Amino acid sequence: MTNTQSIPVDGQQIHYVRAGQGPAVVLLHGSGSSLEGFERVAELLSASHDVIRPDLPGFGRTGPRPDRDYRVRTYARTIARFTTALGLPHFAVAGNSLGGNVAWNLALDAPGRVAALVLINATGYPGKTLPAGLRLARNPVLRPVLRRWLPRSATERGLREAVGTNSAIVDDAMVDRVHALTGLPGNRSAFVDFANTDQPDRSAEIPEIAVPTLVLRSAAVDGQHFARDIPGALERVHPGGGHLLPEEDPDWVAAAIEEFLR
């Protein structure tokens, strides 16, 4: 597994990987994922940028929040404090799925710190289809079971549902890695807590985002209106990608981010 550093934020150790030199870019993974979701994108961007990838609270090696507060706005506050702890007054932030939701909340709440925003199949609009894992974790019968146990086959099924035409990326190594990280102490229970957290709808505030924004969207992903609602946003649409675009086509994602940040 990846070697990470950690730094204390909000009463827990936030694990992260940092590489490269140049303007800072923070990459935020999605739910059920980890910093590995941006591994290849980070490798490509680190030639020209200082790239920081944290494991968000509740996921990866960072693990559960002591207070079990998994509201997106709380995530945004934690990332703001994380970047302060790393000595980053200004940074670009790119997020996939939940990470994108955290990123745009951060752009609303700390606009003076976010130099640029990249939303990759981000969430945050109320009409968006829920992934299978979140639907399962909201089932009152399954919730207590899922806190303790999840079969590897369910991890594989969730990953296959999340990808587009490049389903070959879901191999044994990927399934094993995601399943092992999900199985770290407290992570399954944290995922159930996250899935059952009432997330206030802030979508009406999205037009107030005033930082330069790039929207990267897979054609098959529904419920996204960021390019329509954020003034001046640029949008690029990937024809064949699924929800896990940074892993499905990292070269395309990294090239789009690099060109945007130039």
Side-chain angles (χ1 to χ4, degrees):
M1 281 196 192
T2 310
N3 288 322
T4 65
Q5 306 177 66
S6 70
I7 194 165
V9 182
D10 288 354
Q12 70 179 141
Q13 292 290 321
I14 303 287
H15 287 253
Y16 67 98
V17 171
R18 186 173 189 176
Q21 288 186 313
V25 184
V26 178
L27 303 178
L28 304 177
H29 65 78
S31 64
S33 187
S34 65
L35 57 82
E36 275 85 357
F38 270 109
E39 189 145 18
R40 176 64 180 153
V41 171
E43 191 181 313
L44 293 165
L45 288 177
S46 64
S48 54
H49 290 82
D50 173 14
V51 184
I52 299 117
R53 293 178 284 152
D55 274 338
L56 291 171
F59 304 104
R61 300 153 199 77
T62 294
R65 283 183 66 97
D67 60 7
R68 298 171 69 180
D69 181 355
Y70 296 107
R71 288 172 297 179
V72 169
R73 215 163 175 178
T74 304
Y75 273 112
R77 278 198 295 271
T78 297
I79 294 302
R81 290 180 187 134
F82 167 71
T83 51
T84 298
L86 290 181
L88 298 176
H90 309 287
F91 50 90
V93 59
N96 178 218
S97 187
L98 166 66
N101 197 342
V102 174
W104 69 253
N105 273 266
L106 186 58
L108 277 174
D109 293 341
R113 301 198 54 206
V114 177
L117 176 65
V118 182
L119 303 176
I120 309 165
N121 292 331
T123 60
Y125 284 93
K128 191 158 174 57
T129 306
L130 283 178
L134 285 174
R135 291 197 302 272
L136 279 176
R138 290 183 178 186
N139 181 314
V141 176
L142 293 176
R143 270 196 304 247
V145 178
L146 289 174
R147 286 187 187 279
R148 297 188 306 276
W149 178 76
L150 182 76
R152 184 183 179 279
S153 59
T155 301
E156 181 172 358
R157 197 161 54 247
L159 288 169
R160 293 202 182 282
E161 186 192 77
V163 298
T165 51
N166 184 20
S167 58
I169 68 158
V170 183
D171 56 12
D172 283 346
M174 182 187 194
V175 176
D176 286 345
R177 183 232 319 152
V178 173
H179 193 63
L181 287 165
T182 306
L184 289 177
N187 277 358
R188 288 195 185 107
S189 205
F191 185 76
V192 173
D193 286 342
F194 164 73
N196 290 282
T197 294
D198 184 29
Q199 301 287 359
D201 177 14
R202 296 190 79 190
S203 58
E205 297 175 61
I206 288 171
E208 297 169 25
I209 292 171
V211 304
T213 302
L214 172 66
V215 178
L216 300 181
R217 181 174 63 84
S218 296
V221 170
D222 70 344
Q224 275 208 345
H225 311 292
F226 296 103
R228 176 194 75 192
D229 292 345
I230 298 173
L234 304 169
E235 183 177 51
R236 295 187 61 179
V237 179
H238 192 289
H243 204 61
L244 303 181
L245 206 45
E247 291 182 85
E248 294 174 71
D249 198 342
D251 294 42
W252 185 86
V253 170
I257 294 174
E258 186 153 23
E259 184 185 341
F260 174 65
L261 295 180
R262 218 171 266 154

